[in-house]
Amino acid sequence: MPGTARRPADWASGMSEVRTFKVGADDDDIRLDRWFKRHLPEISFTQVSKWARTGQLRLDGKRATPGDRIAVGQLIRVPPAEPPAPEKAKPQRQRPVMSDDQIAFAKELLIHKDAQALVINKPPGLATQGGTKTHEHVDGLLDALQFEAEGRPKLVHRLDKDTSGALLLARTSRAAAFFGKSFSSRTARKVYWALITGVPSIEDGFIELPIAKQPGTGGEKMHVDEKEGSPAKTRYRVIERAGNRAAWVELQPFTGRTHQLRVHMAAIGHPIVGDGKYGGQEAFLTGGISRKMHLHARRIRIDHPDGGRVDVKADLPAHFAESLDLLGFELEAGDLPLDEVKFSETPEGKKRAESAAAKARRKERKGERRGRGRS
């Protein structure tokens, strides 16, 4: 016997049977799909459309479509609902089992370890993370550096594949969040060493040139773009010079744009030695100097989640050290005093100061209004 429309809870017991419902006065002249939405919301529009296409949805015995208007007293035939498909368990991504050689290699990279942080000295040629055709990377070695921690270490920043040096890893989620905030607020200090072609006329200066992705490179290459680029600031200091042929410089990025140091040095006419991507043929020196990239993350200094600081220096890779020796540079001259940067001078510090000042002004104005109200 046909019945009036019932709520899903009443209808659930008959979901496996054909059901018939009589259109009530409140549903007169509405669309059939609207009726389903009102009375059987658990049946999707896709399912209703499928029933209509296969002729299973009927109105007074005739084939119906979701857009048909219904009238009081008409009978709606609702086919049995299809049982929900069992949820497929998502396959767990299995990381490859590491060989003894890989484990030993990963541990050899370690130059600092405490309860919250690790620092490794990444060799040139090893990517930080995997990608297309990139199977060897730091991320794939992190299981070997878990030690007594509950989980594997977490990457909190990156170095280019051909850039060597200090790479910070967080050992806990709390440390990862803390370090991430330090990088975003620019309170972390990163010092790089680079060998560049030629010698800048100003030996201690800043490069402030906006950087953007270069069109037509698929995001693989950056360039200076005064109109569309994001602000980028780099400090450089000449450590030693080899006549006018080359210079050993310290670089400090004050922003974190992709390939920032490489783009900035090439833009001022002194590309990093070995960086053919941005310097072309001018980026290579003769006389036995390696053609590999000469850019090294020498030092990282960052506040520690438990107080104090992580302050670590990473030794040069062999090719870089050999090039310095060939050019007659003294390794001991490399570590220049690290200038202190007050938090109030960082972008995050300035933002907080401006917010606090605005809050104080609002509070002052509010006090003034209250004072006028009492007078």
Side-chain angles (χ1 to χ4, degrees):
M1 181 176 179
T4 57
R6 296 181 293 175
R7 299 294 177 187
D10 303 317
W11 178 74
S13 62
M15 288 180 69
S16 61
E17 317 174 336
V18 173
R19 306 293 293 173
T20 303
F21 299 91
K22 181 182 286 188
V23 178
D26 292 341
D27 297 323
D28 187 43
D29 201 37
I30 67 170
R31 286 169 54 109
L32 185 54
D33 55 357
R34 179 65 179 170
W35 180 91
F36 274 96
K37 191 172 183 180
R38 282 185 182 180
H39 300 290
L40 303 175
E42 293 179 329
I43 299 179
S44 67
F45 179 80
T46 301
Q47 181 65 73
V48 174
S49 299
K50 181 179 179 181
W51 284 336
R53 288 195 308 271
T54 56
Q56 298 179 74
L57 183 62
R58 301 274 174 162
L59 191 60
D60 281 347
K62 297 179 180 179
R63 293 180 65 149
T65 67
D68 287 346
R69 294 281 174 176
I70 59 177
V72 176
Q74 284 186 311
L75 300 179
I76 302 171
R77 177 188 184 276
V78 179
E82 296 180 2
E87 291 188 8
K88 294 182 179 179
K90 292 184 178 179
Q92 293 292 324
R93 185 179 177 183
Q94 298 293 327
R95 287 191 290 271
V97 177
M98 298 180 65
S99 67
D100 291 342
D101 287 343
Q102 287 177 310
I103 293 172
F105 173 68
K107 291 182 176 180
E108 286 174 1
L109 302 181
L110 191 65
I111 55 176
H112 172 84
K113 174 176 176 280
D114 64 50
Q116 301 293 338
L118 303 174
V119 180
I120 64 170
N121 188 355
K122 188 188 84 64
L126 179 66
T128 303
Q129 291 178 293
T132 306
K133 298 181 181 179
T134 302
H135 306 295
E136 300 291 332
H137 44 81
V138 172
D139 192 41
L141 299 173
L142 295 185
D143 286 328
L145 301 177
Q146 182 171 332
F147 300 108
E148 73 283 356
E150 293 184 2
R152 70 200 303 261
K154 300 167 179 61
L155 295 166
V156 291
H157 69 122
R158 297 179 59 181
L159 292 176
D160 291 346
K161 180 179 179 180
D162 294 321
T163 301
S164 57
L167 183 69
L168 177 71
L169 307 171
R171 302 192 70 193
T172 65
S173 296
R174 178 172 74 90
F178 183 90
F179 292 140
K181 189 173 182 180
S182 295
F183 282 112
S184 64
S185 64
R186 310 301 176 199
T187 57
R189 301 294 299 278
K190 292 185 288 183
V191 176
Y192 291 77
W193 282 351
L195 186 62
I196 61 173
T197 61
V199 181
S201 56
I202 299 173
E203 295 197 349
D204 185 344
F206 287 89
I207 306 168
E208 295 189 63
L209 295 170
I211 294 174
K213 292 180 179 179
Q214 184 169 311
T217 65
E220 293 295 323
K221 191 174 182 180
M222 312 299 285
H223 72 144
V224 172
D225 188 333
E226 297 284 358
K227 293 183 178 180
E228 304 294 333
S230 299
K233 182 178 181 180
T234 299
R235 184 186 183 184
Y236 70 89
R237 294 193 282 182
V238 175
I239 300 170
E240 288 194 345
R241 55 187 294 171
N244 293 321
R245 183 185 181 203
W248 174 20
V249 296
E250 173 201 271
L251 303 175
Q252 293 186 49
F254 283 77
T255 49
R257 310 303 173 201
T258 301
H259 298 174
Q260 177 177 318
L261 303 180
R262 299 165 62 185
V263 173
H264 272 177
M265 296 315 296
I268 66 170
H270 301 287
I272 295 171
V273 173
D275 188 10
K277 184 169 190 173
Y278 290 103
Q281 286 302 312
E282 294 181 8
F284 300 98
L285 296 176
T286 57
I289 302 298
S290 172
R291 295 179 65 85
K292 292 181 180 179
M293 179 85 75
H294 286 69
L295 179 61
H296 177 75
R298 167 61 174 172
R299 180 180 181 184
I300 185 165
R301 194 185 74 180
I302 190 169
D303 290 339
H304 193 283
D306 295 336
R309 287 172 171 167
V310 176
D311 191 347
V312 182
K313 296 175 182 177
D315 291 339
L316 285 172
H319 78 276
F320 200 147
E322 289 169 5
S323 294
L324 293 185
D325 186 58
L326 284 170
L327 292 168
F329 295 148
E330 296 292 336
L331 195 59
E332 294 75 17
D335 292 311
L336 302 177
L338 187 60
D339 294 342
E340 292 295 329
V341 175
K342 297 179 181 178
F343 179 68
S344 59
E345 296 174 350
T346 66
E348 178 70 13
K350 290 178 181 178
K351 185 177 179 181
R352 289 189 188 179
E354 291 170 358
S355 178
K359 185 177 180 180
R361 288 194 295 270
R362 289 195 299 269
K363 189 174 181 180
E364 185 178 347
R365 287 196 296 269
K366 190 174 182 181
E368 290 174 354
R369 289 197 296 270
R370 287 178 176 173
R372 288 195 297 269
R374 289 194 295 269
S375 60

